């Protein structure tokens, strides 16, 4: 990731950059790094990391936001901040990437998308005891978890109906992080959903710092609140957690490769005399089976009990927002967030940190 250090271009702006409005952000090699964008006020801003300016250890750079206010950033820590801000996520861009999970149909092959609509229900743990070294749930936290489990059970007991059709909620699994407060929350919820499969607790869902947030990040690094080593350890782990759970149901590239190989084998078999009459090629059997499976179970609901930092990062990644915006979202204990993934790869946010199942006296942030 590149830092958000910027400087207003006035008299010394390169003609190539100032020739027109820059529409997209683009990553370039560090030796030629230049990031330009048009600010809301119509001013053209640019980050220029040439070798001469890197030698200036204590340069003060004015940052003016759209409201005209100014901040001062110590450029002496810019490189440390830049390195610590590196995210394991793919570089952000404005346009939607349809192959974000690597499962989109191949560009050269026209094929109908297959699979279920996935609903990932991210639930933050209940209130925990800040005085307890293990941070176990408080009595209120246990009650929050119980009410959350009841709400999920009630949703599964009925049928959702609207103009788009009917949806019968069936939970395929309930997974938790390995942190005590999340494990306790998941255990209480599971008591209300006794028939839901419980896979092993997953350390990829543990709490952490996925990437330095903007605009808080520079202060965190300067004041030592977060160490670069923490980001280097937590970031890849949390990104791995995202990639494990957030993907469409069917890998269309895998299907296309299998079908291609089977068609090639069929052609070779025909050259040698061909299969008998009535033979159905394997790839046709697979397509029929996938279509039948998709029709029988159009929706899949997965319950994930974890932590707010993880949830915020997962939401930013799923919606293809810049990962460093994660701290701009806030969610209370036992809030329910729903991410919906369509078979064609489209993603939408169904709800965020919903605590409608709790009374106002039961709503807490920690």
């Amino acid at each position: 990731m590149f830092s958000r250090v910027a400087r207003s271009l006035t008299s010394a702006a390169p003609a190539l950059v100032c020739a027109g409005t820059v529409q997209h952000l683009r990553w370039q090699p560090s030796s030629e790094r230049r990031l330009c964008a048009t600010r809301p006020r119509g001013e053209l801003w640019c980050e220029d990391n040439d070798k001469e300016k890197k030698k200036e250890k204590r340069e003060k750079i004015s940052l003016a936001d759209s409201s005209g206010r100014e901040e001062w950033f110590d450029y002496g820590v810019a490189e440390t901040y830049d390195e610590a801000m590196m995210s394991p996520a793919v570089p952000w861009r404005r346009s939607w990437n349809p192959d974000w999970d690597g499962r989109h149909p191949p560009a050269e092959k026209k094929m109908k998308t297959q699979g279920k609509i996935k609903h990932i229900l991210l639930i933050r743990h209940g209130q925990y005891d800040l005085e307890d070294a293990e941070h176990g749930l408080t009595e209120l936290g246990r009650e929050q978890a119980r009410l959350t489990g009841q709400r999920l059970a009630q949703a599964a007991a009925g049928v959702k109906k609207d103009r788009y059709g009917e949806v019968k909620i069936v939970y395929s699994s309930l997974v938790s992080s390995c942190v005590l407060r999340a494990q306790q929350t998941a255990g209480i919820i599971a008591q209300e959903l006794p028939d839901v499969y419980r896979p092993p607790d997953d350390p990829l869902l543990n709490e952490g710092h996925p990437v330095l947030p903007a605009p808080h990040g520079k202060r965190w690094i300067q004041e030592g609140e977060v160490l670069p080593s923490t980001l280097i350890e937590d970031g890849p782990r949390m990104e791995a957690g995202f990639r494990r759970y957030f993907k469409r149901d069917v890998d269309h590239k895998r299907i296309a490769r299998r079908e291609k190989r089977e068609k090639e084998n069929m052609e070779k078999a025909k050259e040698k005399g061909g299969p008998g009459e009535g033979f159905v090629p394997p790839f046709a059997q697979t397509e029929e089976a996938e279509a039948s499976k998709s029709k029988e179970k159009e929706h899949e609901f997965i319950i994930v009990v974890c932590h707010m930092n993880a949830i915020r990062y997962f939401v930013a990644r799923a919606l293809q927002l810049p990962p460093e915006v994660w701290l701009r979202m806030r969610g209370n204990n036992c809030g329910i967030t729903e991410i919906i993934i369509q078979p064609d790869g489209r993603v939408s946010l169904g709800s965020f940190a919903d605590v409608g199942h709790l009374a106002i006296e039961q709503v807490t942030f920690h």
Side-chain angles (χ1 to χ4, degrees), residues 52-304:
E52 293 183 0
K53 290 174 183 134
K54 278 186 177 180
K55 295 179 182 179
E56 301 175 10
K57 295 182 179 180
R58 309 292 296 181
E59 179 181 358
K60 298 291 185 180
I61 297 176
S62 174
L63 299 180
D65 62 15
S66 59
S67 63
R69 295 175 298 179
E70 292 189 350
E71 301 177 351
W72 291 93
F73 178 63
D74 186 351
Y75 191 64
V77 299
E79 291 188 19
T80 301
Y81 173 63
D82 194 41
E83 293 172 0
M85 188 125 172
M86 284 193 303
S87 170
V90 295
W92 177 75
R93 63 182 186 181
R94 284 187 173 89
S95 58
W96 179 260
N97 175 18
D99 198 24
W100 59 273
D101 58 352
R103 296 185 163 211
H104 201 65
E108 68 278 3
K109 179 179 176 60
K110 292 184 179 180
M111 60 186 302
K112 185 177 180 180
T113 55
Q114 306 173 23
K116 302 181 289 291
I117 300 173
K118 294 182 68 173
H119 302 254
I120 303 175
L121 304 180
L122 301 165
I123 300 177
R124 189 190 177 197
H125 55 76
Q127 185 193 56
Y128 59 95
D129 187 354
L130 292 172
E131 303 300 325
D132 179 14
E134 296 184 347
H135 287 173
L137 294 183
T138 62
E139 287 302 318
L140 176 57
R142 293 179 181 276
E143 180 65 10
Q144 291 169 337
R146 185 183 65 83
L147 292 172
T148 303
Q150 289 181 353
R151 175 177 176 176
L152 295 172
Q154 291 172 357
V159 177
K160 179 183 177 182
K161 299 179 181 180
D162 60 16
R163 60 176 295 181
Y164 299 103
E166 298 183 0
V167 177
K168 174 64 177 175
I169 296 177
V170 178
Y171 304 114
S172 62
S173 62
L174 192 170
V175 64
S176 167
S177 79
C178 294
V179 180
L180 179 61
R181 55 187 180 272
Q183 291 174 322
Q184 292 176 335
T185 301
I188 295 172
I189 292 175
Q191 294 176 8
E192 304 293 335
L193 303 169
D195 298 328
V196 176
Y197 170 62
R198 286 291 310 277
D201 297 338
D202 192 346
L204 296 181
L205 299 171
N206 289 2
E207 185 64 305
H209 289 85
V211 61
L212 268 183
H216 309 73
K218 59 177 180 281
R219 176 178 60 80
W220 284 6
I221 287 292
Q222 289 171 334
E223 299 178 1
E225 293 185 29
V226 176
L227 298 174
S229 60
T230 299
L231 295 160
I232 291 171
E233 295 170 6
D234 289 353
R237 171 182 59 79
M238 299 176 79
E239 175 65 16
F242 170 80
R243 298 188 185 198
R244 171 172 290 180
Y245 295 97
F246 291 81
K247 55 190 175 185
R248 69 194 87 183
D249 180 47
V250 171
D251 186 346
H252 295 87
K253 287 184 176 60
R254 191 179 300 273
I255 293 177
R257 184 177 65 176
R258 184 176 65 231
E259 291 178 355
K260 180 180 179 181
R261 289 177 177 175
E262 291 174 349
K263 287 180 179 179
E264 291 174 350
N265 293 335
M266 282 288 296
E267 292 176 358
K268 292 179 181 179
K270 287 181 179 178
E271 293 176 358
K272 296 180 180 181
E277 185 178 350
F279 173 76
V280 180
F283 63 84
Q285 298 175 18
T286 302
E287 290 178 347
E288 184 178 351
E290 290 287 350
S292 177
K293 179 181 176 182
S294 177
K295 188 174 182 180
E296 291 175 0
K297 190 176 183 180
E298 296 181 348
H299 296 261
E300 179 183 14
F301 292 81
I302 302 171
I303 303 172
V304 178

